[in-house]
């Protein structure tokens, strides 16, 4: 594989239905902070989940949902209840209209690659693997995140989740992880 093939658009990760051959469901929460807390608890417990955008048909709660294997609904809800993070609703994904939306938008500008997650964008120089831009969001820590990350090599840049404290920091962490995934394939 040539170096430039590293930055070609990769196929999207498989949905849980495609991955596990079972139905998927989505957890809908009132606030983004609950999604972040639930994601951490569920991933630490080893659940195969993904944070996604809500399907257009569901306009309840915040702008993030968690996709999970529906067969594990009861065990998963029990765990979330233990940590007092109960979702507003659990919706089976049984219609194309209820498919959660990928949070990522990827744009290849030739020498540069940009990953957008929710409202945050991370741009990388493909040759040097240096972060050239961090932008988006309106959170007070975005300038600090940009100052700490721009100019850093992807592999040695600080993790946004370690230095950010807002939803924008969380979204930037998702963009950072997607950029790492794209560059590692």
């Amino acid at each position: 594989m040539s170096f430039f093939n590293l930055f070609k658009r990769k196929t999207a990760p498989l949905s849980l239905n495609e991955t596990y051959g079972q139905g998927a469901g989505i957890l809908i929460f009132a606030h983004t902070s609950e999604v972040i807390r639930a994601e951490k608890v569920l991933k630490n417990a080893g659940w195969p989940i993904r944070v996604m955008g809500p399907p257009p048909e569901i306009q309840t709660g915040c702008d993030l949902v968690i996709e999970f294997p529906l067969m594990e609904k009861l065990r998963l809800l029990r765990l979330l209840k233990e940590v007092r993070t109960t979702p507003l609703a659990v919706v089976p994904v049984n219609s194309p209209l209820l498919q959660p939306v990928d949070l990522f938008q990827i744009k290849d500008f030739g020498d540069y690659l940009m990953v957008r997650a929710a409202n945050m964008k991370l741009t990388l120089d493909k040759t040097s693997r240096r972060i050239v831009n961090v932008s988006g969001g309106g959170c007070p820590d975005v300038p600090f995140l940009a100052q700490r990350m721009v100019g850093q090599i992807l592999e040695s840049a600080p993790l946004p989740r370690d230095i950010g404290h807002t939803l924008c920091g969380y979204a930037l962490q998702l963009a950072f992880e997607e950029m790492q995934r794209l560059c590692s394939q």
Side-chain angles (χ1 to χ4, degrees), residues 50-104:
R50 289 191 309 179
V51 175
M52 307 284 289
E57 296 297 316
I58 297 175
Q59 297 295 321
T60 302
C62 73
D63 291 339
L64 300 172
V65 297
I66 294 179
E67 185 184 45
F68 70 99
L70 192 56
M71 289 183 60
E72 303 295 340
K73 174 183 169 184
L74 294 178
R75 293 181 4 171
L76 190 137
L77 289 176
R78 189 177 310 125
L79 177 61
L80 290 176
K81 187 176 180 182
E82 288 174 10
V83 296
R84 298 180 185 171
T85 306
T86 305
L88 288 175
V90 179
V91 178
V93 180
N94 54 10
S95 159
L97 295 177
L98 293 177
Q99 290 290 329
V101 179
D102 196 352
L103 282 179
F104 302 110

Side-chain angles (χ1 to χ4, degrees), residues 1-161:
M1 176 187 308
S2 77
F3 178 75
F4 291 104
N5 285 338
L6 292 173
F7 298 102
K8 285 189 174 176
R9 174 77 170 119
K10 306 297 190 267
T11 57
L14 296 176
S15 71
L16 291 177
N17 281 338
E18 295 164 327
T19 303
Y20 300 102
Q22 60 189 12
I26 54 175
L27 301 170
I28 300 168
F29 294 90
H31 304 286
T32 305
S33 61
E34 295 172 326
V35 174
I36 295 169
R37 186 177 329 121
E39 177 194 26
K40 184 176 181 179
V41 167
L42 296 172
K43 282 190 172 178
N44 285 343
W47 291 98
I49 60 156
R50 289 191 309 179
V51 175
M52 307 284 289
E57 296 297 316
I58 297 175
Q59 297 295 321
T60 302
C62 73
D63 291 339
L64 300 172
V65 297
I66 294 179
E67 185 184 45
F68 70 99
L70 192 56
M71 289 183 60
E72 303 295 340
K73 174 183 169 184
L74 294 178
R75 293 181 4 171
L76 190 137
L77 289 176
R78 189 177 310 125
L79 177 61
L80 290 176
K81 187 176 180 182
E82 288 174 10
V83 296
R84 298 180 185 171
T85 306
T86 305
L88 288 175
V90 179
V91 178
V93 180
N94 54 10
S95 159
L97 295 177
L98 293 177
Q99 290 290 329
V101 179
D102 196 352
L103 282 179
F104 302 110
Q105 294 178 353
I106 297 150
K107 182 79 175 176
D108 190 335
F109 294 105
D111 292 337
Y112 302 97
L113 183 68
M114 182 187 78
V115 173
R116 178 179 177 167
N119 60 350
M120 291 301 298
K121 295 174 241 154
L122 177 74
T123 307
L124 182 82
D125 180 324
K126 294 192 298 190
T127 305
S128 67
R129 299 175 69 96
R130 193 171 298 277
I131 296 170
V132 296
N133 189 37
V134 169
S135 61
C139 304
D141 60 349
V142 171
F144 173 73
L145 291 166
Q147 179 190 26
R148 294 285 313 271
M149 296 182 71
V150 171
Q152 300 290 318
I153 303 295
L154 182 66
E155 291 76 13
S156 60
L159 296 175
R161 73 171 167 247

